[in-house]
Amino acid sequence: MSQPIITLITDFGSADHYVAAMKGVILGITPRARIVDITHDVAPFAIAQGAYLLAQTYAHFPKHSIHVAVVDPGVGSERRAIALEAAGQTFIGPDNGIFSFITSREKHKARLITNEKYFHHPVSRTFHGRDIFAPSAAHLAAGASFSSLGKRIRDFVTLDLSAPQVLHTDHFGNIITNLRAADLETHASLTIAGVAITEKAENYAQMQQGKLYLIEGSSGYLEISMHQASAAGKIAAAAGMPVEIKSQPRSRKPVTKAE
Amino acid sequence: MSQPIITLITDFGSADHYVAAMKGVILGITPRARIVDITHDVAPFAIAQGAYLLAQTYAHFPKHSIHVAVVDPGVGSERRAIALEAAGQTFIGPDNGIFSFITSREKHKARLITNEKYFHHPVSRTFHGRDIFAPSAAHLAAGASFSSLGKRIRDFVTLDLSAPQVLHTDHFGNIITNLRAADLETHASLTIAGVAITEKAENYAQMQQGKLYLIEGSSGYLEISMHQASAAGKIAAAAGMPVEIKSQPRSRKPVTKAE
Amino acid sequence: MSQPIITLITDFGSADHYVAAMKGVILGITPRARIVDITHDVAPFAIAQGAYLLAQTYAHFPKHSIHVAVVDPGVGSERRAIALEAAGQTFIGPDNGIFSFITSREKHKARLITNEKYFHHPVSRTFHGRDIFAPSAAHLAAGASFSSLGKRIRDFVTLDLSAPQVLHTDHFGNIITNLRAADLETHASLTIAGVAITEKAENYAQMQQGKLYLIEGSSGYLEISMHQASAAGKIAAAAGMPVEIKSQPRSRKPVTKAE
């Protein structure tokens, strides 16, 4: 590909020089790389949130895209650097579970990143985004082989996201859960932070002001939303909170399961 | 053009994956597109503010640029998707008035966007930025004709911005009105939120600390500013507030009109 | 170079149209320019902070990169516009000290920017980022010679950053000083805002929760950090605060100087 795509997702914010330093390093190695920011506003050290946001994005990018994910509280410790091949794309980052959604969904191959020829020297103890992850991605974009990064591994860290929970609350205050519409019986409700949400909507325009609704979000997950207002603000929901599913029959007759 | 320019302006913020999903969809269709962010920090659902910010930007971009504007409280309802050709450029977004400044200033042709061949499928009910607007723009950038988007229309929604008002308050606290310098007599003052501003300045360095000044901003509109301080903070001004023009003679003699 | 790199660092924020207007002007002059944001979140008018952030970034970019720095409280006054050649790169901005780290570190040549052929007309009194700095950079990227910008100068404004001080507090709450690790004796401590910091760490994982540590940051400067918490929040440190170095012997025997 003439203009390889490298995306960046970090918890670095956008007020410092950190993201730009990564971009400079990439462009120094691969001047034709196209760099796309996913976001740099993952909450500091919030690995699961970064994992969710990356999971919502990568499938929209073309084959051969390289995604660099740096939410990395363990930088400088013994935590490993890893790379994945999955879904025809490559993923680069710390071995702390940030690729959990991808490895649970997609066929994948994992390797350690240990090839110091690709690193930016001297390697700092606190900024592997600049010194290890970005330059390794740039060398892949320039044509280096996946296998040249380091040895094949089959053990890597994954997050346990099986329990129903809040994955993220977005800019509009939508509360995104890890449940699918099909997980919910027709008359069941979700309970978050003690508040039960029963009403369902198909789009925001259907919603009455001031009420909470269940809606199938653009991600395919069940979300809790309000009409032009913040559901997350109303019920003080935050990433990581548990979600409870309650059967809630409308009559005393047994509820018929949705197909 | 070898590298078509697509700009994005939304109220999506930059902490979620929404903007990146749009970029991925665009690059999947038109790998050579150059994507430029105008801003993603339009206040949620603030159509008039988005309209103003787009109006201040498009004229600085080259001919053939394609601008995608998504401030879209009516997503999923019956509101239509439209495209405009104006000023040698193309504009893509919801039919809710976000192009009002452009249609009032520039010769234009409008079309509906209904050609599902260009959409990202399945089309969600809540994220037309990703599923309709971004991919339609990308297909135009790849060479699709404007007329292939959908049928010609002459009716579209416009905002009424004729009354003197605050259009926007910026990062520095400058209060931007929809008045031109020529709208103001020599000795007239503007009143916003009960505060009359009479003093005029030609640049920030001329201003005394702590005082409010009228200044012709870089947009050509009259702005209210302070020396290294926030005028919007001082008088609690916000987008949409009415602005009153008052004649304010300096003597009892009749004021001579400015030429 | 086929795709010249132009970086932007400003205090414009990202909620307005200002940065996008600069990008539009650049792409109108040099359609192949690759524009990279360093940050637009320099604190308003904070020249020293902008100078620090630029100083941490430029060396990671390839030769021939052009850096446009606009933290410009004196816009529209008599302050001059200047350009520097240093480190094989070019720097464009107001003559207010924003290039102080670069001129103190690198061999350099300075010129005034007075060639109105390169400006965006009409030149506003309040937005030289769009009207002077961005288009001058774009003309250089398109092949204009450095000497065509204006006459050679040897006098330009520099900031006095010799006193030990806080340069910046970052997104994670790390407090970045202008001291090097070598500036500190083995048993010496730093005092900021009345708080002495003595403990040293080599990476974040070594740190105990709740304690302040001295660490050599990725910039090479001494920083004060905490384990997954904000050091700047804990001791209310801010850019510009003085830093005191205190000898702090662990015993009554004289301290041996570190090599």
Side-chain angles (χ1 to χ4, degrees), chain B:
Chain B
M1 183 180 284
S2 58
Q3 291 202 297
I5 292 169
I6 298 177
T7 81
L8 305 178
I9 177 168
T10 76
D11 62 351
F12 293 170
S14 44
D16 300 311
H17 63 281
Y18 302 129
V19 173
M22 291 175 67
K23 293 180 180 178
V25 166
I26 289 169
L27 293 171
I29 295 165
T30 313
R32 296 185 63 76
R34 304 174 59 101
I35 305 170
V36 179
D37 299 303
I38 295 181
T39 180
H40 302 291
D41 294 335
V42 176
F45 319 122
I47 298 167
Q49 189 187 40
Y52 165 75
L53 291 168
L54 176 59
Q56 291 315 302
T57 314
Y58 73 93
H60 298 301
F61 278 82
K63 297 284 174 212
H64 307 299
S65 295
I66 300 168
H67 305 283
V68 180
V70 192
V71 179
D72 192 15
V75 63
S77 71
E78 293 301 302
R79 76 96 188 89
R80 306 179 302 178
I82 60 168
L84 289 177
E85 274 188 342
Q89 304 182 335
T90 308
F91 299 82
I92 301 274
D95 180 24
N96 60 17
I98 196 158
F99 303 126
S100 295
F101 286 93
I102 293 153
T103 52
S104 74
R105 268 186 208 170
E106 309 275 1
K107 283 184 59 176
H108 56 271
K109 290 184 186 171
R111 288 190 176 269
L112 292 182
I113 299 174
T114 54
N115 188 343
E116 298 186 5
K117 271 197 312 181
Y118 298 156
F119 296 177
H120 178 264
H121 295 278
V123 174
S124 70
R125 294 189 187 94
T126 57
F127 192 6
H128 290 186
R130 178 191 67 191
D131 299 337
I132 294 179
F133 302 124
S136 294
H139 281 285
L140 290 184
S145 70
F146 183 65
S147 62
S148 72
L149 291 173
K151 72 170 187 185
R152 183 81 189 274
I153 55 168
R154 280 184 177 76
D155 64 313
F156 44 78
V157 176
T158 54
L159 305 174
D160 180 4
L161 293 165
S162 56
Q165 64 193 269
V166 175
L167 291 173
H168 179 59
T169 61
D170 77 7
H171 178 67
F172 296 98
N174 299 306
I175 302 165
I176 296 141
T177 74
N178 64 341
L179 295 168
R180 301 280 174 181
D183 295 339
L184 202 65
E185 294 180 13
T186 306
H187 299 305
S189 68
L190 289 194
T191 300
I192 300 176
V195 179
I197 302 101
T198 312
E199 294 284 338
K200 295 179 183 69
E202 297 211 327
N203 61 54
Y204 303 127
Q206 282 181 348
M207 298 178 182
Q208 292 173 40
Q209 296 217 343
K211 289 184 64 176
L212 294 159
Y213 290 88
L214 289 165
I215 184 169
E216 183 173 0
S218 58
S219 59
Y221 289 110
L222 275 175
E223 304 183 2
I224 293 93
S225 298
M226 294 179 72
H227 183 72
Q228 297 193 17
S230 169
K234 179 152 177 130
I235 64 177
M241 274 192 180
V243 172
E244 208 181 335
I245 304 177
K246 280 197 191 152
S247 281
Q248 193 174 62
R250 293 204 173 164
S251 67
R252 295 178 185 200
K253 285 183 295 181
V255 172
T256 310
K257 230 177 175 167
E259 93 277 25

Side-chain angles (χ1 to χ4, degrees), chain A residues 51-60 105 218-221, chain B residues 17 21 130:
Chain A
Y52 164 75
L53 291 168
L54 176 58
Q56 291 315 302
T57 314
Y58 73 93
H60 297 301
R105 269 184 207 172
S218 58
S219 58
Y221 289 111
Chain B
H17 63 281
R130 178 191 67 191

